[in-house]
DNA sequence: GCCTCTGAATTAAATTTATTAATGCAATTG
DNA sequence: CAATTGCATTAATAAATTTAATTCAGAGGC
């Protein structure tokens, strides 16, 4: 046996009016409706809520007063839930979950998310980093609202908004003989040792670049971590290829790096926004989406160096 | 357009089960009921709460997660309201409002209410003092649950439980010639000045005592305050009659008083508990009622001296 | 003290709302 | 490419809510 919010609201109206009839007029329902609601509440609470005065309305008992205070609070909370939902749908407000492809995350998310939260203090942005497969799965599961990633292996139910193309470049040690050239051909590096960034999608992508020029790289090391990749290159263990361009041109141990464009036409990786097609976005997610479009362009990418 | 607690609970069940079908089995309702409830909530909130996965249930969106957290809280609060009401009806718990006839209040209520609240820490006792007419009106209005007063001018819808009879006695100054007598006749005081406690009921009562003996008192002063009455008597302005017997036999200015029984048969005032007949008492009120019966007897009255 | 009035409770009919069983439908699985 | 899964839809039914009309008990006026 339970009660409804409607019954509570009828009870509260009667309690405030001190009369069922007056309450009925005020809230535009019939007198027996309120009478029923009160009787029902008295039954399930096993309490006398009102003292009925013949021909002069009714007044709350002490128990009724206590229940009424709680009822008002509950009704208030219910109406706040409604307005919370309303705000979620039409105001830039609430929590949003953003996913970012791991190698991109340390470059773009700090500035991007911080800037967004500065502009929209009502929004709480949660960022998670993951590989492409997991990002897509998270989008479909709803555990992230939006992903910043490349347009690789996207399913049909994911919609992708391209933002910028990231051309591949050669990652060389600062003191490498070719490090000051305007551009470099893959062929020129063919005899040197190659450090492969061995992540689910990037490995295949980088190898495809070599194939285009019929170059067989000498894979000297594989790593899943871009900091290891940069550290190895900076310390002269070999060269590598990359698309993301951290502003800081030193590896974690302080050794210098150089970014040299590739001479020739190579496929870029397109950085953009992936969202689930069928989803209806909250205002906050939508705002983050447009914020990304505004902030990320070929002129400027948060946290990223120009070539 | 509003939602119901039932709809919220269906939504929460579905959110927790990750599937309408599983939720339906768990809470024993049909699948379309839950489906409807969710659709309704999505409509009125203007939010997408779930992502539907074909043939593999559904998962909450970020918005759905936020709404679900709030919904759970609201349902929790609703169930707490229910249990609060339950406790009010069957446990010694909550607030109670006690009324007390003004002259009695300073004598009996401090010890009585303090003792009760010690024994039942879950109960919050509020005491108010008033004259008989107001006490009865408060009982009928429900603003007090129970009144400690005399059995005077009670209406038919008030039920009165007598506790003790308070015999009238002569209030004399400590150094009054008759102050050490075992008992005194009203006749013996007839020539002295009389101080009348001039309260709605007590004035008529005291005058009726004189009528019984065909004595015409010399009314020297009238007061509505028992402290003034005691002060006047203690300082030798005259004698008075009273029923309540404060333990402290000094007036507020420190002068001594003496209580001397009346010789003869005079009507007593009966101190007891007045409650509204038709009311269903909460457990807390009922306990206070029995506590009064236990504590107030002819052997002992809290705060009151023996004659 | 009689009559009228007020306002809650009750009753019965109408309406709305919730529930169910059956079915449809889209995507997944083997 | 059937078979299955699981949500949405539909239509029939059951339940709850609402209302209009009425009853009833006490209050208040004369």
């Amino acid at each position: 046996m339970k009660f409804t919010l409607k019954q509570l609201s009828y009870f509260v109206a009667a309690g405030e009016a001190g009369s069922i009839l007056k309450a009925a007029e005020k809230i535009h329902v019939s007198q027996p409706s309120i009478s029923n609601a009160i009787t029902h509440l008295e039954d399930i609470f096993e309490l006398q809520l009102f003292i009925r005065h013949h021909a002069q309305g009714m007044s709350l008992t002490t128990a009724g007063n206590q229940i009424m205070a709680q009822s008002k609070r509950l009704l208030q909370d219910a109406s706040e839930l409604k307005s919370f939902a309303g705000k979620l749908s039409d105001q830039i407000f609430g929590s949003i979950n953003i996913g970012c492809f791991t190698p991109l995350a340390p470059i773009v998310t700090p500035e991007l998310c911080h800037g967004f939260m500065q502009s929209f203090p009502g929004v709480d942005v949660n960022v998670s980093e993951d590989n492409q497969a997991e990002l897509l799965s998270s989008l479909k599961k709803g555990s992230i609202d939006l992903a910043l990633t490349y347009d690789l292996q996207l399913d049909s139910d994911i919609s992708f908004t391209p933002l910028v193309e990231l051309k591949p470049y050669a990652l060389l040690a600062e003191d490498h003989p070719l490090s000051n050239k305007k551009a470099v051909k893959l062929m020129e590096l063919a005899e040197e040792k190659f450090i492969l960034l061995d992540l689910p999608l990037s490995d295949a992508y980088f190898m495809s670049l070599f194939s285009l020029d019929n170059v067989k790289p000498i894979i000297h090391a594989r790593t899943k971590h871009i900091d290891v990749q940069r550290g190895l290159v900076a310390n002269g263990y070999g060269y590598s290829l990359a698309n993301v361009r951290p502003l800081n041109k030193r590896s974690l141990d302080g050794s210098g790096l150089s970014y040299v464009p590739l001479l020739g036409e190579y496929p870029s990786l397109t950085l953009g926004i992936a969202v689930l097609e069928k989803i209806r976005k909250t205002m906050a997610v939508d705002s983050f989406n447009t914020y990304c479009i505004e902030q990320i362009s070929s002129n400027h990418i948060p946290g990223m160096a120009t070539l």
Side-chain angles (χ1 to χ4, degrees), chain A:
Chain A
M1 203 79 167
K2 276 203 73 68
F3 58 87
T4 68
L5 290 174
K6 196 180 268 182
Q7 284 160 349
L8 286 189
S9 72
Y10 288 3
F11 159 58
V12 168
E16 283 180 340
S19 148
I20 291 189
L21 213 60
K22 279 182 199 146
E25 279 166 19
K26 191 166 189 181
I27 62 176
H28 308 107
V29 288
S30 71
Q31 172 259 315
S33 293
I34 298 182
S35 182
N36 269 339
I38 292 170
T39 307
H40 181 249
L41 290 178
E42 289 186 325
D43 283 351
I44 61 162
F45 289 161
E46 300 176 58
L47 281 176
Q48 182 172 343
L49 300 174
F50 285 100
I51 299 169
R52 278 77 168 170
H53 307 296
H54 285 279
Q56 357 182 66
M58 58 207 323
S59 49
L60 284 161
T61 60
T62 303
N65 254 310
Q66 294 173 76
I67 295 294
M68 177 143 139
Q70 306 266 348
S71 299
K72 276 183 176 174
R73 203 174 321 167
L74 193 70
L75 290 170
Q76 178 64 27
D77 288 350
S79 108
E80 270 165 22
L81 170 54
K82 176 98 171 60
S83 78
F84 177 83
K87 279 202 275 182
L88 231 43
S89 105
D90 60 33
Q91 288 179 38
I92 303 167
F93 164 83
S95 302
I96 61 176
N97 299 322
I98 303 301
C100 189
F101 186 48
T102 309
L104 283 169
I107 319 296
V108 299
T109 56
E111 185 181 328
L112 198 67
C113 295
H114 181 251
F116 182 77
M117 285 166 79
Q118 289 277 88
S119 306
F120 304 101
V123 183
D124 181 30
V125 182
N126 300 99
V127 191
S128 56
E129 303 82 37
D130 231 320
N131 62 49
Q132 189 76 336
E134 281 301 320
L135 287 179
L136 298 182
S137 142
S138 294
L139 278 173
K140 290 179 189 176
K141 279 203 312 254
S143 53
I144 60 176
D145 297 294
L146 178 152
L148 280 168
T149 187
Y150 298 129
D151 62 341
L152 296 171
Q153 308 212 324
L154 302 169
D155 297 351
S156 62
D157 51 355
I158 300 287
S159 104
F160 184 82
T161 309
L163 295 175
V164 281
E165 295 210 339
L166 295 181
K167 290 197 169 66
Y169 65 90
L171 184 67
L172 305 176
E174 193 178 31
D175 53 7
H176 188 281
L178 301 175
S179 70
N180 288 320
K181 290 195 73 174
K182 276 263 146 55
V184 66
K185 283 197 240 178
L186 274 186
M187 196 68 84
E188 298 175 70
L189 294 161
E191 301 303 309
E192 299 189 23
K193 289 171 182 165
F194 177 60
I195 317 283
L196 176 65
L197 187 63
D198 190 18
L199 287 172
L201 290 167
S202 45
D203 54 355
Y205 168 73
F206 291 124
M207 295 313 286
S208 76
L209 301 183
F210 287 108
S211 312
L212 279 175
D213 287 1
N214 286 314
V215 170
K216 257 214 142 99
I218 303 158
I219 300 177
H220 180 241
R222 295 166 180 270
T223 175
K224 296 197 182 304
H225 300 285
I226 131 167
D227 288 320
V228 176
Q229 172 198 28
R230 287 163 64 86
L232 290 175
V233 171
N235 286 279
Y237 286 87
Y239 73 100
S240 190
L241 297 177
N243 299 74
V244 288
R245 311 180 299 257
L247 276 172
N248 188 339
K249 292 190 180 171
R250 298 203 163 272
S251 69
L252 280 183
D253 67 1
S255 311
L257 288 160
S258 171
Y259 306 160
V260 183
L262 292 185
L263 194 60
E265 284 296 314
Y266 297 99
S268 303
L269 288 182
T270 306
L271 167 59
I273 300 167
V275 293
L276 198 58
E277 186 105 74
K278 58 188 165 191
I279 210 144
R280 170 182 177 151
K281 291 201 274 283
T282 60
M283 200 68 171
V285 172
D286 208 55
S287 304
F288 189 83
N289 198 328
T290 54
Y291 185 82
C292 289
I293 294 171
E294 284 163 15
Q295 295 293 313
I296 302 176
S297 68
S298 36
N299 298 327
H300 171 72
I301 307 170
M304 216 175 283
T306 48
L307 261 191

